Amino acid sequence: MAVEVYLIFNGNCREAVSFYEKIFNTDKAEIMTFGDSPQNPDYQLPEEAKDLVMHTRLSILGSNVMFSDTFPGSPFTVGNNVTLALVTNDEAQLRSAYEGLKEGGKVTMELQETFWSKCYGSLTDKFGIEWQLSHEERI
């Protein structure tokens, strides 16, 4: 299991990732945009969201750092644009952590299967810390 940093940007994620690639001499990031994700026929993806970064990651000095743009219309506050991502291949451990963290907190997305994870959810804990929990086989 790992806890990784997730940095959120307001439309300039590509620029930030390119900057960090150069600074830390990393491999070029594989970028998934909101437009690359499977589309819901009941919800039209706004044109301004299609090229924004939905997810990417860099390995910086042995640590994974993940990046995303905010979805258009979502709140963005400089200084509060960092979340912690709990990433594990142990689904029971992930579910246990989720249940504990949601007590007194606010669930953003219930644990569920997504196109990128067998089990993913997000929440803000009772101390105001934002968490993303993701089952990944890569660990």
Side-chain angles (χ1 to χ4, degrees):
M1 178 165 60
V3 175
E4 300 174 350
V5 176
Y6 210 115
L7 304 175
I8 312 298
F9 295 85
N10 196 20
N12 59 344
C13 185
R14 283 178 196 273
E15 178 185 354
V17 168
S18 178
F19 175 77
Y20 296 128
E21 285 171 344
K22 290 175 189 162
I23 296 297
F24 296 107
N25 194 29
T26 69
D27 291 338
K28 187 158 179 62
E30 292 184 30
I31 293 178
M32 177 189 300
T33 66
F34 288 104
D36 292 333
S37 65
Q39 300 304 300
N40 180 341
D42 297 330
Y43 177 75
Q44 183 70 31
L45 185 68
E47 195 62 38
E48 64 271 21
K50 290 182 179 177
D51 290 329
L52 292 176
V53 176
M54 181 176 157
H55 176 77
T56 191
R57 93 176 72 212
L58 293 174
S59 178
I60 298 176
L61 303 173
S63 294
N64 282 319
V65 179
M66 296 179 283
F67 303 81
S68 177
D69 278 312
T70 56
F71 194 80
S74 297
F76 177 84
T77 304
V78 173
N80 291 338
N81 53 328
V82 176
T83 64
L84 297 178
L86 182 104
V87 181
T88 182
N89 62 358
D90 184 333
E91 188 174 343
Q93 186 179 48
L94 183 134
R95 289 183 180 281
S96 176
Y98 176 85
E99 291 301 320
L101 288 167
K102 80 176 193 178
E103 287 183 31
K106 181 181 177 198
V107 172
T108 310
M109 182 176 175
E110 292 287 347
L111 283 179
Q112 59 191 274
E113 186 170 343
T114 65
F115 69 91
W116 69 85
S117 175
K118 176 175 149 179
C119 186
Y120 174 87
S122 60
L123 56 86
T124 302
D125 71 20
K126 65 182 177 182
F127 300 105
I129 304 300
E130 293 185 32
W131 291 87
Q132 296 182 53
L133 298 93
S134 185
H135 180 275
E136 292 188 17
E137 295 292 340
R138 66 179 177 81
I139 295 175

